[in-house]
Amino acid sequence: EKAMIYYEKALEISPNEPMLMIKVAVELNKKENFDSAIDYLEKAKELAPDEILVYFNLGWSYRGKKEFSIAIENYEKALSYDTTNAKVWKGLGLVYRITEDYDNFIKAFEKAMDLDPKDEETWNIMGIEKGLKKDHAQAIACFQKAIDIKPKYLPALHNIAKAYRKRKVYDKSVTAYDRVLELDSDNLYCQIIRGKTLEMANKDALALQGYKKVLEVSQKNTRALYYAAYLHEKIHETKKALDYHKAITKITPKDYNSWYRTALNYESLNDLEEAISYFKEAFSLVPKNLDICNKIAYSYERREEYADSLNYYEQAIELAPNSYYAWNGKAKIYRFLENFDQALADAK
């Protein structure tokens, strides 16, 4: 902000200085005020038509405005003055990347990397594109190069962790996530993804520790709550899982799945009254969900509350006339009630 003020004051003193105009345009581009940047750059071009920085920054401005053909024209104009400028090749490559012209993106970025092999961002972006093409080995090599250049470069550390996870090299993935957390200890998303990676490596206890660390800081983090609940379910600690699922229902009451998962846990504890209550809440949010409707019917059946059970089995049949589960359940109810004719008819 101060730089902008000083540049503008300098322009008042020297209104025909093109380099000052370019510096103002750079600050405007950073703020994504591309139209104003272009105005300054066009004035600079009139005064210095052979200045490469004019065309480089015009390329940046038009790339920001998503006017890609004009951006390419300006980057190529800049290259006509100097083919050894890595930043121009990088800018051109970024346009090709956005327009999904992969071959030209690779050519431009490889040229930029040859000219400036110490630009960690270029290596990181190349790694991302290699990963999108499923070339995970090359992606990892690019991310590692970026990290070698700048060991605390968080984007590459994140990306190499993700790439190792995709290749199922879980120990290296976790190590990279640990490095991210050393540099950015408040990154809860990273802590959660680290936990999922540990789950993939069958290290559930360590994953659960990570989720609980997140919840110590952010008690309403629904993703951490859900993952912690899942792991407690996995090791048959149903009551602990229940606590997490119930917490989610309070935070996101419109999320039917949290009500449904809570109901399933109550069902596994044979607390059918609570299970029915939570199933009904879920069903109220997704009234066309056949599975939940059948769950309510079956829970009532287990409680020998046959009238309510019949009601929900009939609702299930309305939702899905060919639902074997619902017809079979209805037939069982009539059998229990010793209405054998109706049971036989429903069974058919």
Side-chain angles (χ1 to χ4, degrees), residues 327-328 331 341-348:
W327 282 109
N328 185 58
D341 290 339
Q342 186 63 54
L344 182 59
D346 286 339
K348 290 181 179 178

Side-chain angles (χ1 to χ4, degrees), residues 187-196 199 204 206-233 240-241 243-248 251-252 255:
N187 191 324
L188 300 184
Y189 173 79
C190 179
Q191 185 71 265
I192 290 170
I193 298 301
R194 176 184 179 274
K196 291 304 293 180
E199 282 187 56
D204 292 345
L206 290 174
L208 189 55
Q209 286 178 16
Y211 300 142
K212 289 182 176 180
K213 280 185 181 179
V214 173
L215 293 169
E216 287 173 6
V217 177
S218 177
Q219 295 178 351
K220 294 184 178 182
N221 189 303
T222 53
R223 184 175 290 188
L225 285 165
Y226 179 79
Y227 291 153
Y230 169 76
L231 286 178
H232 280 299
E233 287 173 349
K240 289 183 179 179
D243 290 338
Y244 290 112
H245 282 305
K246 288 170 74 174
I248 298 172
I251 299 164
T252 56
D255 175 17

Side-chain angles (χ1 to χ4, degrees), residues 24 43 53 58 140 159 221 224 268 298:
V24 171
K43 290 175 185 174
L53 289 176
L58 278 170
I140 287 169
N159 288 328
N221 189 303
S268 71
Y298 182 59

Side-chain angles (χ1 to χ4, degrees), residues 103 121 176 291 295 315 320 329 331 337 342:
D103 290 340
E121 184 184 44
D291 181 54
K295 282 286 188 182
Q315 286 188 55
L337 296 173
Q342 186 63 54

Side-chain angles (χ1 to χ4, degrees), residues 39-54:
D39 289 340
Y40 277 99
L41 291 165
E42 289 296 339
K43 290 175 185 174
K45 185 164 69 171
E46 291 175 7
L47 296 166
D50 297 330
E51 175 53 59
I52 185 174
L53 289 176
V54 169

